[in-house]
Amino acid sequence: MGFFLKLILTGLGWSFGGPLGGIIGYAIGSLFSSKSPRTLRSEVSEQFGNTEEKRDFNVTLLVLSAAVMKADGNVKRSELDYVKRFFLQNFGQQRAETYIKMLREILEKDYNLYEVSQQVGQHMDYSSRLQLLHYLFGIAQADGNISPEELSVINTISDYMGLTNSDFQSVKAMFIRETDSAYKILGVDSSATDEEVKRAYREMAKKNHPDMVSNLGEEVRQAAEKKFQEVNAAYETIKKQRGL
């Protein structure tokens, strides 16, 4: 275990090491090799959040983003620009610059997606994993089209993280529109009864409520609003169709 990985696991209190910790240790070591341990602790905490949950979510976001961007064998400028805009809008100029530098390092490194995703599933709560999934679809759609390769990688990540197929299909329907997308977003079939639709809406709204990820910071909570609005919009569409 290298010096920087040890530093992450002990000095910063990361909740996990393993393959994900190794990737982040590699990226941080490449970027901050000239920093003293005390300075590094301070700068990493400032850039990635002052709690374990915030740091875990943000660095996981970087690693999984890299996997989606490399899915079709060609990292597109539009995808990198999307990531830049996301971090800039949600975390500010200083953090965004650090995230992009780390992302470039991670893009150069090969890693086992199964091991990384399984580790995320073991250490991160369900609502946070759902928010990660929503973000990954946004990455894939950055160039206006989600390729089969990107969809396959996102599906694999979702499965390895322990998300249900129903929840995967729900988030997918928010980005890939079909005639029954509103029903898929709520996780029910179009043949569902009115009562089943209402129950599905209540469950999905609870699962996707922005307050469920408030522990990750206000910036992530605000980003989760879009997903929650999609759930509400799907329910309103179905109600209008059925005259409820």
Side-chain angles (χ1 to χ4, degrees), residues 152-178:
S152 177
V153 167
I154 296 174
N155 195 354
T156 296
I157 291 172
S158 177
D159 185 39
Y160 289 166
M161 287 196 304
L163 298 178
T164 67
N165 182 61
S166 176
D167 283 330
F168 170 79
Q169 296 297 335
S170 173
V171 177
K172 174 186 171 185
M174 297 178 187
F175 292 87
I176 302 177
R177 298 294 182 178
E178 299 174 343

Side-chain angles (χ1 to χ4, degrees), residues 15-161:
S15 63
F16 44 63
L20 188 53
I23 296 167
I24 298 306
Y26 161 82
I28 290 179
S30 298
L31 290 177
F32 301 108
S33 58
S34 63
K35 303 288 185 179
S36 68
R38 178 177 298 180
T39 300
L40 181 58
R41 287 190 186 96
S42 176
E43 291 193 5
V44 172
S45 293
E46 180 181 352
Q47 294 297 331
F48 294 102
N50 54 9
T51 68
E52 289 184 13
E53 292 169 318
K54 290 181 182 180
R55 290 194 292 262
D56 291 352
F57 183 87
N58 293 345
V59 299
T60 299
L61 190 57
L62 288 175
V63 174
L64 296 183
S65 294
V68 173
M69 293 170 72
K70 294 194 295 183
D72 55 7
N74 179 30
V75 177
K76 300 180 180 65
R77 181 71 186 185
S78 58
E79 294 170 336
L80 191 57
D81 287 342
Y82 176 92
V83 179
K84 287 182 178 179
R85 288 195 301 271
F86 175 87
F87 285 130
L88 183 61
Q89 292 169 0
N90 291 280
F91 301 103
Q93 183 70 37
Q94 185 177 3
R95 286 189 181 183
E97 291 177 356
T98 301
Y99 288 165
I100 294 304
K101 289 178 182 177
M102 285 192 65
L103 179 62
R104 291 183 186 278
E105 295 292 333
I106 295 169
L107 284 168
E108 297 297 322
K109 186 174 180 60
D110 293 326
Y111 52 87
N112 188 308
L113 187 59
Y114 171 78
E115 292 179 351
V116 169
S117 301
Q118 281 256 302
Q119 189 179 4
V120 175
Q122 293 169 1
H123 291 276
M124 190 172 290
D125 66 85
Y126 199 88
S127 293
S128 297
R129 282 177 272 158
L130 277 179
Q131 185 59 31
L132 281 174
L133 183 65
H134 190 271
Y135 174 68
L136 295 179
F137 268 105
I139 288 281
Q141 199 184 53
D143 60 350
N145 177 59
I146 299 178
S147 71
E149 294 85 0
E150 290 169 330
L151 185 60
S152 177
V153 167
I154 296 174
N155 195 354
T156 296
I157 291 172
S158 177
D159 185 39
Y160 289 166
M161 287 196 304

